[in-house]
Amino acid sequence: MKTSLFSFSKKECLAGVIGFFTTAYIIAVNSFILQEAGVPAMESLYATILSAVIGCLLMGFYAKTPILIIPGMGINALFTYTVVGQLGLSWQEALLSVVVSGAVFSLLTFTKLTGKIITLLPASLKYGMTVGLGLYIFFIGLEMGGLIVAGDSSLVRLGDLTNRDVLWTMAAFLLMLILFVRKRNGYFFIGLVVISVASFFTGDLAKPSGTYLPGWANVFAWMTDVDASVFLSSSFWIAVFTFTLVLLFENIGLVEAHTRASHTVDRYVPALRGTALSTFFAGLVGSSPTVASIETQAVIQSGGKSGGSAIVTGILFIASFFMLPLISIIPTSAIAAILLIIGFFMILDIQHIPFDDVTEAFPAVFLLATIPFTQSIIDGMAIGFLLYPIVKIGAGKWRDVNPFLAVSAFLFFVYFLLQAFV
């Protein structure tokens, strides 16, 4: 079944509008997580919107598919809490690693290596990474919403359920969950608006302050704060390697699913290349990596079959620049609720791990458990990639360890050595 590559029919435009309201939550959520890394507030908002605009327009004009590109959840946590928080890179250096990984990802999509690499990663490790990221995001949501706090005799304990912020988090979570189970498109966006308006009338919403027009020059100013010596840093290249690995495996699966659902399978290669290029440009404008969003399915189910719907969504993201004063004061409780739901969806992938094969399940479980417990995505991945060949060889299944896995395990082994002795 063929579809027109470009269409701005009423159905396509409506699908694009639904796409925007389904993904608009990312403006507040991603900018908040970028600010946790040290990115200035207004610059983080601008970067998030710009990266979504560039990504959606790339998919519309170049790939000619209805796929929506926005900053990815999970990988933004990797940017802030691991690359900046654990590896010790500045947020400017972390952005440079995004640019480099986007360039590497783009180069791979213009060769035949992409298809080969995807067949080399065991499904158990891939699903383990997704579940681990989901658990980590869920943990961040619980902490951000005040549902858990540091414990006296334990690492964490239940928060004060009578606290107003905690009550708002629970209200936001329940509202979004009900909207989701009732299959309401844009349930995240609707939840954000309702909770923000409600907290305004109760006096719990902060008032806008400061300027909301930092100037376009500030968007790219981070480049002047990066020293060339960072290219000699092992932490920098570990970040590049990890970003590239996560982007590669996450986007290949998402793009394939979206092009199949929208009957644009013949546009799979351009769509994957557009996704890779969007990450490169996202880093340039100051954002964490972008991905082919899961919310694209809402566009397809609403009738979006061509690049027209992605272009409409991109245009609406441009219009969101005029809503920055409102976006900047969205309560943290609403953002925490979104993280809880997104984390839940990612955790569901645990059902795909083959628990009947211990040599597959054991490394995957260690990987997914280590990420939230150590609050380090890289450490969790490293444990999983190291355990996999060890368990396989110990079980006499050394043929399951391909060269890609062997090299990856060696690199993560070097990473642990550097952590211990440098």
Side-chain angles (χ1 to χ4, degrees):
M1 178 179 179
K2 290 188 176 181
T3 183
S4 173
L5 296 181
F6 272 120
S7 172
F8 291 100
S9 65
K10 182 179 179 180
K11 181 178 286 188
E12 289 283 347
C13 291
L14 178 60
V17 172
I18 290 174
F20 171 73
F21 285 110
T22 305
T23 56
Y25 73 90
I26 200 64
I27 301 174
V29 177
N30 191 65
S31 62
F32 181 89
I33 292 178
L34 289 178
Q35 289 171 50
E36 292 274 282
V39 182
M42 283 301 100
E43 279 73 3
S44 67
L45 284 166
Y46 264 58
T48 299
I49 295 174
L50 277 173
S51 60
V53 169
I54 294 170
C56 289
L57 295 184
L58 262 175
M59 298 309 281
F61 286 112
Y62 173 68
K64 299 179 177 63
T65 68
I67 297 175
L68 305 184
I69 303 292
I70 60 175
M73 293 301 301
I75 201 164
N76 54 7
L78 171 63
F79 177 93
T80 294
Y81 303 111
T82 298
V83 174
V84 175
Q86 184 195 6
L87 292 182
L89 297 183
S90 67
W91 63 268
Q92 295 94 336
E93 292 168 342
L95 287 177
L96 181 60
S97 71
V98 173
V99 173
V100 174
S101 64
V104 173
F105 185 17
S106 298
L107 288 173
L108 287 173
T109 61
F110 281 89
T111 69
K112 295 181 180 180
L113 287 175
T114 303
K116 293 180 180 179
I117 292 176
I118 192 61
T119 63
L120 299 177
L121 181 70
S124 58
L125 292 184
K126 182 179 71 174
Y127 291 123
M129 281 191 284
T130 302
V131 176
L133 285 169
L135 286 168
Y136 192 21
I137 290 175
F138 198 89
F139 181 86
I140 293 171
L142 290 173
E143 187 178 42
M144 187 183 299
L147 291 167
I148 59 172
V149 294
D152 298 323
S153 57
S154 61
L155 293 176
V156 294
R157 63 175 177 82
L158 192 64
D160 180 5
L161 298 184
T162 63
N163 181 278
R164 291 173 70 92
D165 291 334
V166 175
L167 292 173
W168 278 120
T169 298
M170 292 190 291
F173 172 75
L174 291 174
L175 172 61
M176 294 176 191
L177 184 61
I178 291 170
L179 290 172
F180 168 73
V181 297
R182 294 180 67 87
K183 299 182 179 180
R184 296 286 190 265
N185 285 327
Y187 53 93
F188 281 153
F189 182 79
I190 295 171
L192 283 176
V193 172
V194 171
I195 294 301
S196 297
V197 171
S199 55
F200 170 78
F201 283 109
T202 60
D204 293 319
L205 190 67
K207 294 181 178 180
S209 61
T211 178
Y212 295 90
L213 296 173
W216 294 107
N218 287 0
V219 173
F220 305 99
W222 67 267
M223 300 178 192
T224 62
D225 296 322
V226 179
D227 193 285
S229 62
V230 72
F231 288 106
L232 302 176
S233 165
S234 60
S235 295
F236 176 81
W237 291 109
I238 289 170
V240 170
F241 173 73
T242 307
F243 275 138
T244 304
L245 197 66
V246 174
L247 285 167
L248 187 65
F249 296 117
E250 182 173 2
N251 282 299
I252 284 177
L254 287 169
V255 170
E256 191 277 332
H258 295 329
T259 54
R260 185 178 65 252
S262 60
H263 304 290
T264 55
V265 177
D266 57 322
R267 304 299 298 168
Y268 171 78
V269 173
L272 188 61
R273 289 172 179 171
T275 304
L277 289 169
S278 71
T279 291
F280 174 78
F281 288 113
L284 285 181
V285 301
S287 174
S288 53
T290 49
V291 299
S293 72
I294 296 174
E295 291 83 1
T296 294
Q297 289 299 318
V299 175
I300 296 171
Q301 292 167 14
S302 302
K305 302 294 181 183
S306 77
S309 52
I311 293 170
V312 170
T313 302
I315 292 172
L316 290 175
F317 267 111
I318 294 175
S320 66
F321 279 111
F322 300 100
M323 298 186 288
L324 285 179
L326 296 176
I327 295 171
S328 67
I329 58 171
I330 288 175
T332 304
S333 54
I335 296 174
I338 290 176
L339 295 181
L340 290 174
I341 294 176
I342 290 176
F344 167 76
F345 289 146
M346 297 175 73
I347 293 169
L348 290 180
D349 270 357
I350 196 170
Q351 63 187 306
H352 300 303
I353 296 175
F355 288 103
D356 56 335
D357 184 347
V358 176
T359 64
E360 294 286 338
F362 195 81
V365 170
F366 258 78
L367 189 160
L368 70 87
T370 305
I371 289 176
F373 290 155
T374 64
Q375 298 189 31
S376 170
I377 297 167
I378 290 180
D379 283 351
M381 289 177 62
I383 290 292
F385 274 80
L386 281 170
L387 276 178
Y388 191 88
I390 293 173
V391 174
K392 285 291 185 180
I393 293 171
K397 298 182 178 181
W398 56 270
R399 290 184 179 84
D400 291 346
V401 182
N402 57 61
F404 172 76
L405 285 171
V407 171
S408 298
F410 173 75
L411 290 175
F412 280 122
F413 177 70
V414 172
Y415 161 69
F416 278 131
L417 287 180
L418 291 173
Q419 290 287 94
F421 299 108
V422 177

